[in-house]
């Protein structure tokens, strides 16, 4: 029977079927192209956290083929504990097929404290304002405590270590400010008595040959959060990508309401046609069921009348480092490194393209980007962005750290018009949008089968914002040819983003003529 690790245990606590599929049919999960990048980022966080409490010994050991040598790690853990080592990282324990590696095991006066390190962020006050935020971590830590105590280890403290979302780097990285240590004793104490029974049930699931039966439900949380959602949904006729539209595709409906409808047997758009929906949801349902498009020409004209030449179509690409690499950056802050700009100076004028991509040497890209942006976009002109809150947020952040450019940058932000507005307002809806008004949904809905506007025809290195965010920091480690090809892929991707905006604007004009 496969062993029960702490990650498998927490998967079981969410869904027994997910545990079984994870062990016996992992191929049923869609490939995640950015998984390795997130794994590497998590390792970087874990490595930094090891030094939180001073000198430490890490017992991680690998076999010749690169796999973790669990037996050796457990032996080293025992040796270090017997030796009197104060802090042991990846301390490993096993009890009757249950295994865990404690991120940080710290000696206390009468026992040992467990510190579970997570790369997610938390803020001061979350323990009061968002008390449920840490429940899932208590499940994980309770399992670790149980395994250790079954091995005869006295656990005297249970803590969670997260990234401190309030920390802003200024000078050298301060790891003690970067991390927050949260005492989860009360939550772990509540979870701990549940562990033995859950362990036995999880072992039964791992021991069975047939896939468990488990209907989809609220335990699936956000459907896209579970890697097996598409598989399970397809089994029960709830496929999101094809077939009959369901409540899970409704525009801006919270998850609990979707599951409320589902549990009441109201699953398809036809089932909920007479329910109390928002105006936009009702529009989505009626257009989809009738296979019709909705065009409010007066509403679109009202939007277009607010624009004036010259027009500047702007889009940023950003990276989102967990550990702030530069001054004036917080964990997970969006750091712009690239933009594309399409310009139309007058009615009937030619389409001009400008672009910026920072150097790929690991240096701070923001100053050069801000200076070029001020050169490329004059003051008091009309700019357009798609979902402008993102671009405006980045520009205002730049203004805050570069006072000499602040007036110009604020002026740019103040004159940005949001191209998503007529879609969110319900002025233009096509069933193919599928309840989403992102540019990646609107563009193919308005221009179906146009290969020049198909992101999938771009270089496979960069076909979406996630690819761009992940790959830019890696360029500095590439050989020259690969780096040059990757930079070109970034430029062409970002260029398509603003060209898409131009095409959408032109489409809005054409349907009102």
């Amino acid at each position: 029977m496969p062993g029960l690790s702490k990650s498998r245990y927490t998967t079981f606590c969410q869904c027994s079927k997910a545990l079984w599929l994870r062990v016996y049919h992992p191929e049923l999960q869609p490939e995640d192209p950015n998984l390795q990048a997130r794994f590497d980022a998590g390792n970087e966080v874990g490595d930094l956290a090891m030094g939180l409490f001073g000198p430490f010994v890490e017992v991680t050991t690998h076999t010749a083929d690169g796999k973790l040598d669990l037996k050796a790690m457990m032996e080293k853990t025992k040796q270090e504990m017997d030796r009197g080592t104060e802090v042991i990282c990846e301390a490993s324990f096993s009890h009757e097929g249950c295994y865990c590696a404690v991120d940080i095991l710290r000696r206390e006066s009468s026992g040992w404290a467990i510190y579970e390190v997570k790369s997610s962020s938390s803020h001061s006050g979350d323990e009061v304002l968002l008390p449920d935020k840490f429940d899932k971590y208590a499940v994980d830590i309770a399992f670790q405590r149980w395994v250790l105590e079954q091995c005869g280890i006295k656990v005297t403290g249970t803590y969670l270590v997260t990234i401190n979302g309030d920390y802003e780097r200024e000078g050298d990285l301060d790891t003690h400010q970067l991390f927050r240590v949260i005492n989860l004793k009360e939550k772990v104490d509540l979870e701990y008595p549940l562990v033995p029974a859950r362990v036995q049930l999880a072992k039964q699931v791992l021991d069975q040959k047939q896939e468990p039966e488990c209907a989809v439900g609220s335990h699936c949380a956000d459907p896209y959060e579970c890697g097996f959602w598409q598989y399970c949904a397809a089994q029960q006729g709830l496929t999101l990508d094809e077939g009959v539209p369901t409540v899970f595709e409704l525009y801006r409906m919270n998850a609990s309401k979707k599951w409320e409808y589902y549990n009441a047997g109201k699953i398809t758009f036809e089932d909920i046609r007479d329910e109390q929906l928002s105006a936009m949801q009702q529009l989505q349902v009626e257009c989809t069921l009738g296979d019709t498009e909705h065009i409010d020409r007066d509403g679109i004209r009202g939007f277009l009348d607010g624009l004036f030449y010259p027009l500047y179509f702007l889009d940023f690409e950003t990276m989102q480092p967990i550990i702030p690499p530069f001054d004036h950056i917080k964990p997970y802050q969006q750091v712009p490194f690239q933009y594309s700009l399409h310009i139309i100076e007058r009615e009937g004028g030619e389409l001009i393209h400008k672009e910026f991509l920072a150097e790929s040497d690991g240096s701070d890209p923001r100053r050069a980007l801000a200076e070029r942006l001020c050169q490329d976009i004059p003051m008091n002109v009309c700019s357009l962005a798609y979902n402008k809150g993102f671009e405006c947020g980045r520009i205002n952040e730049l203004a805050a750290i570069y006072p000499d450019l602040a007036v110009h940058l604020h002026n740019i932000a103040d004159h940005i018009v949001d191209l998503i507005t007529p879609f969110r307002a319900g002025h233009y809806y096509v069933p193919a949008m599928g309840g989403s008004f992102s540019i990646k949904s609107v563009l193919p809905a308005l221009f179906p089968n146009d290969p020049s506007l198909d992101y999938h025809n771009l270089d496979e290195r960069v076909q979406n914002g996630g690819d761009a965010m992940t790959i830019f920091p890696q360029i500095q480690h590439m050989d020259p040819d690969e780096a040059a090809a990757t930079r070109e892929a970034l430029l062409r991707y970002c260029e398509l983003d603003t060209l898409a905006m131009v095409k959408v604007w032109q489409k809005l004009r054409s349907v009102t003529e």
Side-chain angles (χ1 to χ4, degrees), residues 116 140 249 270-271 289 340 357 375 380 390 423 484 498 503:
E116 174 70 8
D140 185 330
E249 296 168 87
E270 190 66 54
D271 295 334
L289 292 177
S340 174
L357 178 58
Q375 294 174 20
N380 301 317
F390 184 80
F423 301 100
T498 50
K503 292 293 186 180

Side-chain angles (χ1 to χ4, degrees), residues 44-111:
E44 185 180 7
V45 169
D47 290 345
L48 267 180
M50 288 182 184
L52 266 179
F53 306 110
F56 64 90
V57 173
E58 182 186 0
V59 300
T60 302
T61 310
H62 294 89
T63 59
D65 60 0
K67 296 180 180 179
L68 287 175
D69 189 337
L70 303 182
K71 182 178 179 181
M73 290 172 66
M74 288 186 284
E75 290 175 351
K76 286 185 177 181
T77 298
K78 185 177 185 308
Q79 291 171 3
E80 294 301 329
M81 294 177 74
D82 292 343
R83 188 175 290 145
T85 301
E86 293 291 322
V87 180
I88 307 171
C89 296
E90 298 301 323
S92 302
F93 303 88
S94 179
H95 171 74
E96 295 183 353
C98 297
Y99 169 82
C100 72
V102 179
D103 292 334
I104 303 174
L105 186 66
R106 186 185 186 193
R107 187 185 297 273
E108 294 187 329
S109 58
S110 58

Side-chain angles (χ1 to χ4, degrees), residues 377-438:
I377 303 181
M379 295 178 70
N380 301 317
V381 301
C382 182
S383 298
L384 291 100
Y386 206 91
N387 207 2
K388 75 171 189 176
F390 184 80
E391 272 67 28
C392 289
R394 306 296 77 75
I395 293 172
N396 288 327
E397 287 167 358
L398 293 172
I401 59 174
Y402 303 124
D404 58 313
L405 303 176
V407 171
H408 196 137
L409 290 168
H410 282 311
N411 184 274
I412 293 173
D414 291 343
H415 287 79
I416 293 180
V417 179
D418 203 333
L419 189 56
I420 202 174
T421 297
F423 301 100
R424 279 187 176 161
H427 299 328
Y428 198 166
Y429 188 79
V430 176
M433 294 176 186
S436 170
F437 300 130
S438 73

Side-chain angles (χ1 to χ4, degrees), residues 338-357:
Q338 177 183 10
Y339 67 77
S340 174
L341 192 65
H342 274 92
I343 307 167
I344 303 176
E345 294 183 336
R346 61 187 178 279
E347 179 75 32
E350 66 174 316
L351 187 61
I352 302 168
H353 182 240
K354 295 184 179 183
E355 59 191 4
F356 173 87
L357 178 58

Side-chain angles (χ1 to χ4, degrees), residues 106-178:
R106 186 185 186 193
R107 187 185 297 273
E108 294 187 329
S109 58
S110 58
W112 295 84
I114 293 171
Y115 292 82
E116 174 70 8
V117 179
K118 296 296 183 184
S119 57
S120 57
S121 65
S122 66
H123 300 266
S124 177
D126 279 358
E127 292 89 328
V128 175
L129 298 174
L130 301 169
D132 296 341
K133 179 175 182 176
F134 306 106
D135 288 354
K136 60 182 178 182
Y137 303 126
V139 173
D140 185 330
I141 299 172
F143 175 79
Q144 296 179 58
R145 174 184 159 190
W146 181 82
V147 172
L148 266 64
E149 293 193 345
Q150 297 307 302
C151 294
I153 309 301
K154 185 179 180 181
V155 176
T156 51
T158 47
Y159 301 90
L160 174 68
V161 180
T162 72
I163 295 292
N164 177 11
D166 301 316
Y167 169 65
E168 182 173 333
R169 181 166 181 169
E170 192 70 50
D172 293 339
L173 186 69
D174 185 339
T175 54
H176 289 90
Q177 292 294 319
L178 175 64

